[in-house]
Amino acid sequence: MNTPEKSYQAAHEIGRIYDAITDSKILNDFFLTTVFQLIPAQKGYLFLVTQNNTLLLTATVPPPKEAAPELHKAARKAFDDGKPAACGRLLFLPVIARNSPMGIACFERGPESEAFSAKEVEVGFDLASEFSGALKNILLFEENLKMERLAAVGQAMGMVIHEVKNIMQLTRFSDEMIRMGLKEKNNTYLDKGLAKMAKSLKEMDGFAFEMLSLTKDYQLEPEKMNVAALLEELSSDLFERAQGNGIRLDFQAEPGFPEVEGDAGGIRRALLNLVKNAFEAFQDRTAACVKIRSRVVDAANYEIAVEDNASGMSEEVRARLFEAFFSTKGKRGTGLGLMVVSRVVKMHRGEIEVESSPGVGTKFILTLPRSFPK
Ligand SMILES: Nc1ncnc2c1ncn2[C@@H]1O[C@H](COP(=O)(O)OP(=O)(O)OP(=O)(O)O)[C@@H](O)[C@H]1O
Ligand SMILES: [Mg+2]
């Protein structure tokens, strides 16, 4: 015969299975089913309370998921009472975790069946208590996840606004130059203004690409790619900034580097992010240099390596490099740059290797397929 001690132990054992379930829907159904095995009944209902204090029928065994209005009313009363109760052929078990009422489970027997016994109420209550704890943990976890997502969206919006403002500043500056050039009929101003406008358009384009590359919709646009020309263009785009910061640029493809296939816009953006990171890692500008070399590895692959003699990074930073929003730069960094790099490289089915020593420098090696996998 089942002693109270034994059924308490059984409930506890089942509770350990409840704790191992991570999906609330599965847990709810499983709870109703396990109660059924110990306390025979015709139908089981689980009502959970919503934020505006209504009881929502969340699970039933067996289906369909519906409850008569009288049952709803009785469940409400039992929920408000907050105690287990057997009323003839209905059994109510409150779902309460850490003193907060979460809902009420209800079990119904057919008219010809016996009423629920005091023993059955006790067994049911033990199971409901175990279930309540497990459900509370899942709900807390889901709530945390939502908060984290919300925070991530906020963070991403902040970054987008910051970047757009930077580009707008450049556009405004070009606009002023062009106006001045027109007003004073000065071609130097006009040329400078137009060049800055072209730069800000390029930056806007690149930024739009970066945002797109992080979405699910990102698709590669493979084409024939001249890596040597791409490196030359990148070097000239970055020249002014590098010179202003006392950094030497040394970008070269090995002699005779062949034409390859790939998404030139994506590769350009990935390299730009790596070079920007290198720029930002210099503390000491003596002999500061950023090198890019591209070479053929074998018949199938080529490699582009971006190397700096800047600060290098610690083991911990290296381990977290590609995490979204991981940055050691405070407000100056969003921690998305290397995600863009990794996304572009992965979409090409390539690989990234990182070598870095604190105080010596860092080298990112991208290995990419020479022809684009169809
Ligand atoms: N060449 C490098 N030398 C030293 N540290 C680096 C280098 N490249 C990346 N890191 C480290 O990796 C972190 C993540 O880089 P990532 O480009 O993803 O973000 P970020 O540069 O901080 O911000 P964002 O690129 O979004 O403006 C950096 O904050 C930095 O600590
Ligand atoms: Mg970066």
Side-chain angles (χ1 to χ4, degrees), residues 88-107:
R89 277 154 191 85
L90 286 176
L91 167 67
F92 292 103
L93 303 170
V95 178
I96 303 172
R98 287 168 231 162
N99 290 331
S100 85
M102 297 163 69
I104 188 110
C106 170
F107 297 86

Side-chain angles (χ1 to χ4, degrees), residues 273 277 280 329 337-338:
N273 268 304
N277 278 346
E280 288 158 1
K329 298 171 191 167
L338 286 177

Side-chain angles (χ1 to χ4, degrees), residues 159 163 210 273-274 276-281 308 310-313 317 320-323 325-330 332-341 356 361-364:
M159 183 271 293
E163 195 67 30
E210 285 208 350
N273 268 304
L274 292 174
K276 273 190 181 166
N277 278 346
F279 279 10
E280 288 158 1
D308 64 61
S311 64
M313 49 185 121
V317 172
R320 304 189 55 195
L321 273 186
F322 296 99
E323 272 176 33
F325 302 117
F326 172 75
S327 175
T328 55
K329 298 171 191 167
R332 287 187 305 113
T334 50
L336 287 175
L338 286 177
M339 264 198 80
V340 171
V341 179
S356 185
T362 301
K363 188 174 181 180
F364 282 85

